Amino acid sequence: MSRNDWFEPSRPIRVEGGIRARSRRGSIGEQWWSRRFIDILERVCDRGRLSRGRSYARSGQVLDLEIAPGLVTARVQGSRRTPYKVGIEIAAYDADRWRALAGALAAQALYRAKLLAGEMPAEIEDVFHRCDLPLFPDERELDMDCSCPDWGFPCKHLSAVLYVLAEAFDDDPFLVLAWRGMGKDALLGALRETGGGEEPAPARPGLFDVTDTPFTERMADFYEPGASPARLRDRTALPVAPPDLLLRTLDPPPLTARKIPILDLLRPAYQAFAESDDA
């Protein structure tokens, strides 16, 4: 085997049906979580290989991508006939750690509500840090491997997979958590069960609450009110708003009449309208 066989020519074999990055120019990653991931990579990885990796990602050279707890695997088509195998490992948290994380997330009503609605709150990273468990891997934790002969860190094939992974995070932020060991359905189930440790407030009977009774048993008194007229009249008095409240809240127009500001002329009129209403 000649020495040149260890180095791949610059042009990869074009493929059909690969995973093609949506971003055609500039940075890859639209949401805060994918940008956070990319920022870490671009801070620690070789910029030249990352640039070539973006070109690979945009041309669809990544053939497939699988995300499992602690491991991302992919195949990337280079210039050789056999695609290269890529693996990216991080620490996946065990059940006890995820139990603590789910409890910490559920304790924050806003975070819990956003996650149950399918959103990723930006403060979730702080919750992970308070549990001494990072959400995103740093350069020391990432264990990356590619079957190509390039010893650079990372090679262009790894870089392409990292960028495609970032766009997968764009589409589904729960993949970030699945990589750490907790799938979306399992996490949402844990959040529903935990409920933030809050007891539901006891239900208070409403003014118009009535017992549901079949119509055939209510024909005689169907049109009678469910509450007495006395209860309907018993209402707490609302505070009286000043008649010129609207004038106070709006910006004064730059108008005068005989050098008198227009608001000073309108206030007596509003007061007169209020008094005539009360009469």
Side-chain angles (χ1 to χ4, degrees):
M1 180 180 293
S2 69
R3 186 176 178 181
N4 290 335
D5 289 338
W6 288 99
F7 298 94
E8 179 181 296
S10 58
R11 292 186 179 180
I13 298 172
R14 296 298 179 184
V15 296
E16 297 293 336
I19 303 174
R20 190 184 296 270
R22 292 186 299 271
S23 168
R24 308 313 302 164
R25 300 176 65 185
S27 298
I28 291 179
E30 299 174 0
Q31 305 297 334
W32 73 263
W33 51 87
S34 55
R35 282 305 317 161
R36 179 80 174 85
F37 178 62
I38 289 296
D39 287 345
I40 294 171
L41 300 178
E42 293 182 343
R43 188 172 63 246
V44 302
C45 297
D46 180 83
R47 292 185 178 274
R49 288 183 171 87
L50 285 175
S51 176
R52 290 192 290 274
R54 281 195 297 272
S55 298
Y56 266 52
R58 286 169 174 151
S59 60
Q61 298 302 119
V62 179
L63 302 179
D64 48 40
L65 180 77
E66 291 188 12
I67 302 174
L71 178 64
V72 168
T73 56
R75 291 181 306 140
V76 181
Q77 181 64 62
S79 63
R80 297 184 179 181
R81 186 184 302 274
T82 303
Y84 296 119
K85 295 180 180 179
V86 169
I88 307 169
E89 293 187 60
I90 62 171
Y93 301 141
D94 58 22
D96 290 338
R97 288 172 176 168
W98 268 111
R99 193 174 297 111
L101 284 167
L105 291 169
Q108 302 291 329
L110 180 60
Y111 307 165
R112 178 175 178 268
K114 284 188 174 182
L115 286 166
L116 290 174
E119 301 176 22
M120 179 74 81
E123 301 83 359
I124 190 174
E125 197 171 2
D126 297 332
V127 176
F128 274 72
H129 280 305
R130 286 198 294 271
C131 295
D132 293 324
L133 299 169
L135 174 58
F136 297 100
D138 60 19
E139 68 275 15
R140 293 166 297 178
E141 185 185 359
L142 279 171
D143 186 5
M144 301 189 287
D145 180 68
C146 179
S147 61
C148 79
D150 187 348
W151 293 344
F153 179 81
C155 66
K156 53 183 170 288
H157 315 108
L158 275 165
S159 300
V161 172
L162 291 169
Y163 282 118
V164 168
L165 179 61
E167 285 206 339
F169 290 159
D170 267 340
D171 295 335
D172 184 358
F174 287 90
L175 291 178
V176 179
L177 308 179
W179 197 18
R180 281 295 190 190
M182 177 66 83
K184 178 179 180 179
D185 292 341
L187 176 61
L188 297 186
L191 291 176
R192 293 188 186 99
E193 290 175 6
T194 305
E198 300 173 356
E199 292 294 329
R204 299 180 60 185
L207 182 63
F208 296 102
D209 286 347
V210 294
T211 304
D212 188 16
T213 308
F215 177 71
T216 54
E217 300 176 15
R218 291 291 314 277
M219 294 182 66
D221 61 348
F222 181 75
Y223 292 103
E224 293 184 7
S228 68
R231 284 187 64 197
L232 294 175
R233 286 194 298 269
D234 184 19
R235 296 180 296 173
T236 303
L238 296 174
V240 179
D244 63 342
L245 177 62
L246 183 62
L247 300 180
R248 297 183 188 181
T249 56
L250 297 177
D251 292 332
L255 299 175
T256 60
R258 297 190 300 274
K259 298 185 179 180
I260 302 174
I262 191 68
L263 292 188
D264 291 345
L265 297 173
L266 289 175
R267 283 194 182 94
Y270 274 67
Q271 183 66 44
F273 289 146
E275 292 173 354
S276 63
D277 241 8
D278 293 338

